[in-house]
Amino acid sequence: MREYVSRIEEACGEGRDFIVILKHAKREEAIKKILAKCEIDRSFSRIMMKGKYKDKAISIFVTGKLILKGMNGRRAAEETLEELLT
């Protein structure tokens, strides 16, 4: 995961959402791996895709930003990222 992820930040608000910033050099490779494991619900002009992975909502931006929704803490977010990026 450290090969692809620049940083993880907890989003403000009621839910346990996390914003993940991918490393620029590995961004495209990471997005391909994530898309291969997610079930994509919607795509918005190839700029953003919304999908699900193990009943967790994920927003994927081509800029290299991910939003993981409904996580049960930072450790759960890191475990989900580890699964998506291996």
Side-chain angles (χ1 to χ4, degrees):
M1 177 182 81
R2 301 282 176 223
E3 179 182 352
Y4 299 104
V5 176
S6 174
R7 66 182 189 266
I8 302 171
E9 298 175 4
E10 190 167 354
C12 298
E14 293 179 24
R16 295 289 301 212
D17 300 346
F18 289 85
I19 300 169
V20 179
I21 308 297
L22 299 173
K23 291 182 179 177
H24 187 73
K26 295 282 192 167
R27 171 182 53 124
E28 290 181 26
E29 183 182 340
I31 289 173
K32 284 181 186 177
K33 285 185 172 203
I34 293 166
L35 291 176
K37 294 183 180 179
C38 286
E39 178 185 321
I40 301 301
D41 293 334
R42 293 190 281 173
S43 178
F44 300 95
S45 301
R46 295 178 48 199
I47 294 173
M48 179 189 139
M49 288 152 274
K50 285 190 171 192
K52 289 192 178 208
Y53 178 74
K54 293 187 175 179
D55 295 328
K56 301 294 183 188
I58 301 175
S59 298
I60 306 155
F61 296 84
V62 295
T63 58
K65 183 187 290 186
L66 309 173
I67 300 176
L68 305 175
K69 296 183 177 272
M71 294 288 143
N72 294 325
R74 186 179 186 92
R75 184 71 193 134
E78 289 174 353
E79 288 172 359
T80 300
L81 280 172
E82 191 73 44
E83 292 172 11
L84 286 169
L85 295 170
T86 53

